Amino acid sequence: MADVASRITAAKAEVESLKSKIEEVRNSKKGKSIGSLTAKRGDVGGIRGPPSFKVRRLLKGHFGKVYALHWSGDSQNIVSASQDGKLIVWNSTTTTKLRAIPLRSSWVMTCAYEQSKGNFVACGGLDNLCSIYNITEGTQAKSVKELASHDGYISCCRFIDEKNIITSSGDSSCIFWDIERGDALTTFTGHGGDVMSISLSPKDKNVFVSSSIDGTAKIWDIRESKCVQTHVGHTADVNAVSFFPDGNAIGTGSDDRTCRIFDMRAYGEVNSFLSSGTSGVTSVDFSKSGRILFSAYNDTNMAAWDTLKTKAPLAFQMQQAHTDKVSTLGVSPDGEGMCSGSWDTYVKIWA
């Protein structure tokens, strides 16, 4: 037994030594920070803020906490998921409810809109299932498939196309699915805790990122069926993650009250934004240009951060954007609007 204990101790020491060497190599390859680059170019121009940026549409119809929302690929519609047990598909311009889909389980945590043709939406939650619904115009919305393989709640789901979808779960894994057959094609494991959020690369459908309560964000390659990068820096659960518009960086939001930007080419953190409040980050998304990183918080507030600034990076703040926890937000694919959802049951469109 003593021999086994000594071997374990030696192995742990070797692991720590390797970690230190990896960190040294990574630090040696780091280039300049965003702050140093922008400083040489002089003052970065300001961003248009309030009162121009305000609520343009208020979507009323849910009777429970709104937990998730997602824009359609053409930026015309939005799907929202609430613990009133319904998915609602909205027209973002007229605020008309196009679909109200009753769910088998009211404990829904995520929803997704298929981006290419917009014929499908998906949702998942504490039932451990990812349910796919056909919402083709002229037909009654119906469940076409229930994807079952996860051993924990479904925290996030995103369509790759009409045939494939990726889900993340409280069982610490992500799964790449064949929707038509209902088969789990690849299971991605490596996180040390619940996976809270995923985001697909806007430039490569084979790449996605996940965030977890283990404090990390991981980049995965579907073709290689493995993690290709792990980004560290947060000191608490990482609740949200979103790809930068050019696909070369990611933005994260955490219970440590910070949003951070990690560059995949530099393999490291290039900027971070600390909220002055006491609440953790629930959701993040970039503007179409990438200049602004929007963040939602466990309280009633949202913020817009200037990604090019390290000093006074807060572009503007939406104080009391809702009357309860802001659980989700998302920027439309055309970049013309930003939508937020809250436990106050409302969905708001900002521009």
Side-chain angles (χ1 to χ4, degrees), residues 235-287:
T235 57
D237 301 2
V238 185
N239 299 317
V241 67
S242 180
F243 258 101
F244 195 80
D246 69 358
N248 290 319
I250 58 171
T252 56
S254 168
D255 278 344
D256 64 13
R257 297 164 39 224
T258 67
C259 297
R260 299 172 190 255
I261 299 177
F262 298 92
D263 192 290
M264 294 165 59
R265 296 160 298 184
Y267 205 148
E269 180 182 315
V270 292
N271 212 345
S272 65
F273 315 103
L274 175 63
S275 168
S276 60
T278 60
S279 298
V281 183
T282 58
S283 186
V284 295
D285 203 5
F286 287 99
S287 63

Side-chain angles (χ1 to χ4, degrees), residues 281-302:
V281 183
T282 58
S283 186
V284 295
D285 203 5
F286 287 99
S287 63
K288 188 173 178 64
S289 67
R291 178 67 186 272
I292 297 176
L293 176 63
F294 292 100
S295 57
Y297 294 86
N298 268 315
D299 53 19
T300 61
N301 301 320
M302 296 192 295

Side-chain angles (χ1 to χ4, degrees), residues 114 159-165 177-181:
E114 199 281 315
F159 284 96
I160 293 179
D161 50 36
E162 288 192 320
K163 296 181 179 179
N164 301 106
I165 193 170
W177 299 86
D178 182 304
I179 296 174
E180 187 174 348
R181 295 188 302 174

Side-chain angles (χ1 to χ4, degrees), residues 326-349:
V326 187
S327 51
T328 179
L329 62 76
V331 175
S332 62
D334 63 8
E336 295 295 320
M338 189 269 286
C339 191
S340 62
S342 167
W343 283 17
D344 64 10
T345 75
Y346 295 131
V347 175
K348 296 182 179 182
I349 300 175

